[in-house]
Structures are given as C-alpha cells and as structure tokens.
Amino acid sequence: MAILKKAAAFTRRLAAALPLLALAPAHAGPSEYEIKAAFIYQIARLVEWPANVGVPMRLCILGDDPFGAALDSIRGRPVGARSLEVALPGAGVPLHECALLFVAAPAEKSLDRVVALSRGAGMLTIGDTEGFAQRGAMVNFFLDGDKVRFEINRNAVRQGGLRISSKLLSLARLVD
C-alpha cells in the first residue's frame, strides 16, 4: 500500500512537470527526450545534494545532444534553493562543475572516466545506453515497450556522495 502511495505521489509530481511539454504539437504526445528531460528534473528534486553543489545547479550533456529543445522545458526550474542551468556540449564547462552529467550514447567511451570523476564529487551521472548502470552510471533510462523507465545503481550513488529518496528508489529498477 505504501509503495502504491509513493508511486501515485511521484506520478502526480511527474504529471505536474508534463505541462512543461506543452510546446510539443497538440496532436503528438511528448517525445522520448521530452519525457527524459522531465524525469531528469524530477529526479534532481529527489536527490539529497551536498552543500558544495554550485548555484545554479548545472546539468551538462557529454557527447552529442539528443534532447534538442526538450531541455528548454526544465532550464531555470528550481531544484531546492537552486535553479537548473543546462550546459550543452561545446559550452566549455569543466565536467567537475556539473551537478548532473548526462552521458549521451556517442560518449560511451568516456563513461569509465566519468564514473571515476563522479566518486565523492556529488555529481549525478545519467545515461540512456544499455549497460550504463551496470558499468557505474547512477541513473540509466531504458525503454519498456513505448514507456521510458529508469534504473538506479545504488552503489554508484553512495560512492558519488549522494542520497536518493526512497520514493524514487521504489520506482526504479535497482542495479548493484
């Protein structure tokens, strides 16, 4: 019963974020990356961040940007007392200044370096490539039919110096 209540609360929060996707054509549902952007924002809100995370909180994309305009819906949104800033590839932002780092599939070869960089750094690593969570990414999106789901590597989260809410963990596929 408690799990159902947690799932319902998360769904309500996610549904609250979905109006941000109203820029999509009326006849089309949100795209895969619009949904992933909304998830990233909601996940960021359910992480306990260390005090040394910068202001604004920076989401960086490593590799080719698969989101396009989808990230516009979360840019500037509040995450606790911080606002979310998006740094696209080529912005010249050093990786250690990123609170959230999305590793796009073409940057897969950099994952081992990113995982090492994130240890103890308070950086949430995110990807959407099969096997990323098993290789040390903290959050990894995957498709289950036409639905976007995510998995969480709890050990990687702990090593990164972050804490993720039990509500979020209850909705994820857990990887250790």
Side-chain angles (χ1 to χ4, degrees):
M1 187 63 102
I3 290 174
L4 291 175
K5 287 182 179 178
K6 291 176 184 177
F10 181 75
T11 301
R12 282 192 302 274
R13 281 194 296 273
L14 183 59
L18 290 179
L20 298 172
L21 307 176
L23 298 176
H27 63 279
S31 72
E32 175 185 338
Y33 280 95
E34 289 170 325
I35 293 169
K36 289 177 180 176
F39 267 119
I40 288 171
Y41 175 66
Q42 292 301 326
I43 290 169
R45 295 179 61 210
L46 295 170
V47 169
E48 188 175 312
W49 297 96
N52 65 345
V53 170
V55 176
M57 178 177 279
R58 201 168 277 141
L59 164 63
C60 303
I61 309 298
L62 181 63
D64 294 337
D65 175 16
F67 291 93
L71 292 175
D72 292 343
S73 64
I74 63 172
R75 188 183 314 262
R77 302 269 307 173
V79 177
R82 302 171 178 100
S83 64
L84 188 62
E85 177 183 290
V86 177
L88 296 176
V93 174
L95 293 182
H96 70 273
E97 293 183 9
C98 304
L100 303 105
L101 180 60
F102 184 89
V103 181
E108 179 181 3
K109 62 184 179 294
S110 300
L111 184 61
D112 293 339
R113 180 174 60 96
V114 167
V115 167
L117 178 68
S118 69
R119 288 194 181 113
M123 173 196 298
L124 185 71
T125 56
I126 307 168
D128 66 351
T129 300
E130 186 174 335
F132 261 26
Q134 291 78 10
R135 290 179 52 200
M138 297 173 191
V139 176
N140 191 49
F141 294 111
F142 63 95
L143 293 177
D144 181 12
D146 62 346
K147 297 185 187 307
V148 175
R149 307 277 189 206
F150 60 94
E151 54 192 0
I152 294 176
N153 182 327
R154 291 182 293 182
N155 191 36
V157 170
R158 277 190 294 273
Q159 289 179 352
L162 299 171
R163 295 180 65 177
I164 292 182
S165 86
S166 59
K167 293 177 185 176
L168 185 59
L169 290 173
S170 71
L171 298 172
R173 182 169 70 187
L174 301 178
V175 175
D176 286 318

